[in-house]
Amino acid sequence: MKFDAALFYLPPPLPSFPRQRALDSLLFSAISSSSSVLQLRQIHALLHRFGLHASSFLVAKLLRRLTDLGILPPNPYPSLVFSQVPSPNSFLWTAFIRSHSSTLPSASADADSPLSVYSLMRRQFPPPPPLTFTFSALLKSAQSLSDGIQIHAQTISIGGFDSDLFVLNTLIDMYVRSGYLIHARQVFDEMPVRDVLSWTSLIVAYSRNGDMNSAAGLFHSSPVKDLVSWTAMVSGYSQNSQPREALAVFKKMQAGGVAFDDILLVSVINACAQLGTCNYASWIRQVVDQVGVQLNVFVGSALIDMYGKCGLIDDAQQVFAEMSEKDVYSYSAMISGLAAHGRADEAIHLFEVMVRSAAVRPNRVTFVGVLTACSHAGFVEKGRCYFSLMMNEYRITPDPDHYTCMVDLLGRAGLVEEALKLVQSMLIEPNGAVWGALLGACRIHVKPEIAKIASEHIFRLEPDCIGNYIVLSNIYASAGMLDEVSNIRKMIRGRGLRKNPASSWMESGDGVIHEFFAGDDLHPRSKEIKEVIEYLLQSLRLVGYVPVLSSIVYDMSDNEKERILKGHSEKLALGFGVLTAVVGSVIRIMKNIRICEDCHLVMKMASGAIEREIIVRDSLRFHHFKNGLCSCRDFW
């Protein structure tokens, strides 16, 4: 921006109203278009030249522009500009408050706080009346609930703002930011008039807080729904492990012809990933293609993650190949997906390609993926190398996830003592996952002494997780320490522990999801399913199957244990799959907790007996059972 130097030498304007208005307009435009502090200082000099440095109208604009350019208190210049106006009006006071609202809290925060400026404004005589924007600036700058309540009290005591929609919406936002949703809801309920922002603010707040019942109540009552509120509902359900509800909202949105963006689409893809079913994966890909969404890094990475979690790792690789641009999230999703499916060599190769290209820098999630791959493949030296590379080359401090991978890697390789030393040398407190990985290694290699050390820590961190007690009991049983097994069972009974309700689900050919719970008879074809399981188990006995009774830790007869094992949810799902799936097709089962040893053995042997590939996704990883073998190599 250039200024006419002649302006500095013009005589003062004639005191005619039209000429004054023209000059005010010229200076106002000059302030608006200025792009540097130097230009604003020149304009400020012009204000003095023409005797307009005390104009609230022009000085307010000057202050707002200084704020926009980051010239804020404690920089003395805004205060100097303000102090030259003898009788600031409400607009100028508001601009001055706004400049302080943009200032980060400091040691002098009390003196320079927006509330202090507002207090100074109210002490003027006569006090300039606050404006709507005065209170919005104050509320947006509130650093604590106490500040917010004081400002709220002012809106009531001064009066006239109890029906001001802008102020009330800002009040809702302030209470939401402070974490007091009850107060925000009270403001909302008492509002005489609401707009879409009023509804959306609370819907978003409830969704982020995990209160989907309240969010849904408001959403259904809202007379107008914008993209933000639709997105809040879909993402809220998805993030709170309610994928079916998320998809129901999205389908309702589609039926209403509401356009959506990439952000909402990613939430829908994540919901499909949670269900882990192929039909939903195919459906959402069709949606992506139909609306012409580009496979950018956000949508593409979400699709890769979804396909990986649905057991369609080849489709994930196809999406990865189709992406014209890839970032660290795309690579991390692909590497982690390959690792989870037991395709360690491919995961490690992709990581090496990523590192060699130097176009994308790996992050902590990338290293979790590649270390997991090393663990599944038993590549101890490579795992050590990548762990060192992460710390020394990329300056990433290991977190519990990385240590869990390393303990898992060392434990799988039989280096249980080294794994214990690694845990004991950690600079951060080991969490339950780290100790759990060590306990799992002790189960494989029957290390009761180390298992006892691990269990002491894990029982303290996760006292109500019955799975840890079961693993320790199995270790003691394998070591012949029957008294210790009895003690563990007493601990389980004494603490009143119960296993989480185990459920498995699978998708039939028509896209219907069938869910099974351990021991239930609720499925309409339950009788047929049990007959299939009974026949299958009898066939497996002929080729060496012996039930793993240690999977049941309760004190009961062997016959009763066998009966319970037959009713495990993944076996019911397998029976349904054998009964209904097309001959030769892959049987895909999802499970909410870790697969037990007996069911793992049955799946492995059944894949050879019925000559079908069986894929089970449990809470830890994918198990690809084929020809009597499992991709996890019997360690999970």
Side-chain angles (χ1 to χ4, degrees), residues 389-461:
L389 182 73
M390 177 184 71
M391 292 186 293
N392 299 326
E393 178 70 22
Y394 293 99
R395 303 298 178 186
I396 298 173
T397 303
D399 63 22
D401 290 339
H402 300 113
Y403 281 110
T404 299
C405 291
M406 287 302 297
V407 171
D408 187 55
L409 169 62
L410 295 170
R412 173 188 283 257
L415 304 172
V416 185
E417 289 77 9
E418 184 180 341
L420 174 61
K421 290 180 181 178
L422 177 64
V423 176
Q424 292 172 334
S425 68
M426 287 173 59
L427 300 178
I428 56 176
E429 183 69 23
N431 63 9
V434 174
W435 289 112
L438 185 62
L439 192 63
C442 294
R443 174 180 64 85
I444 296 297
H445 299 287
V446 192
K447 298 283 187 177
E449 298 83 5
I450 297 178
K452 183 178 181 181
I453 296 172
S455 66
E456 289 173 353
H457 291 277
I458 202 169
F459 289 167
R460 175 176 55 83
L461 293 168

Side-chain angles (χ1 to χ4, degrees), residues 575-591:
F576 179 75
V578 173
L579 190 64
T580 63
V582 176
V583 175
S585 64
V586 176
I587 297 176
R588 302 175 186 274
I589 300 170
M590 279 66 68
K591 184 173 173 60

Side-chain angles (χ1 to χ4, degrees), residues 84-103:
Q84 293 172 350
V85 182
S87 300
N89 65 11
S90 299
F91 291 96
L92 180 52
W93 275 106
T94 300
F96 196 45
I97 289 171
R98 182 172 175 263
S99 72
H100 286 74
S101 301
S102 304
T103 306

Side-chain angles (χ1 to χ4, degrees), residues 472-491:
L472 182 61
S473 175
N474 291 343
I475 294 169
Y476 285 147
S478 299
M481 303 168 65
L482 300 184
D483 289 342
E484 296 297 334
V485 172
S486 179
N487 290 335
I488 295 297
R489 291 175 177 174
K490 289 178 183 178
M491 287 177 65

Side-chain angles (χ1 to χ4, degrees), residues 129 204-205 209 266 273 275 371 385 486 570 627:
V204 170
N209 204 46
V266 167
L275 288 174
L371 289 174
C385 177
S486 179
E570 55 267 58
N627 299 325

Side-chain angles (χ1 to χ4, degrees), residues 272-283:
C272 293
Q274 291 178 46
L275 288 174
T277 58
C278 298
N279 278 343
Y280 274 115
S282 300
W283 166 73

Side-chain angles (χ1 to χ4, degrees), residues 191-263:
M191 290 174 70
V193 180
R194 307 180 185 104
D195 63 3
V196 66
L197 181 60
S198 316
W199 293 90
T200 301
S201 297
L202 267 185
I203 291 169
V204 170
Y206 279 129
S207 297
R208 289 178 176 172
N209 204 46
D211 186 355
M212 294 309 300
N213 289 333
S214 297
L218 279 177
F219 181 77
H220 294 308
S221 302
S222 175
V224 181
K225 300 172 178 66
D226 62 0
L227 179 59
V228 176
S229 59
W230 284 103
T231 302
M233 292 303 299
V234 174
S235 62
Y237 278 128
S238 180
Q239 291 167 8
N240 287 283
S241 302
Q242 296 176 269
R244 291 184 178 87
E245 290 81 355
L247 295 178
V249 172
F250 178 67
K251 289 180 177 179
K252 185 177 180 181
M253 180 182 177
Q254 278 186 302
V258 181
F260 53 87
D261 60 10
D262 291 357
I263 296 174

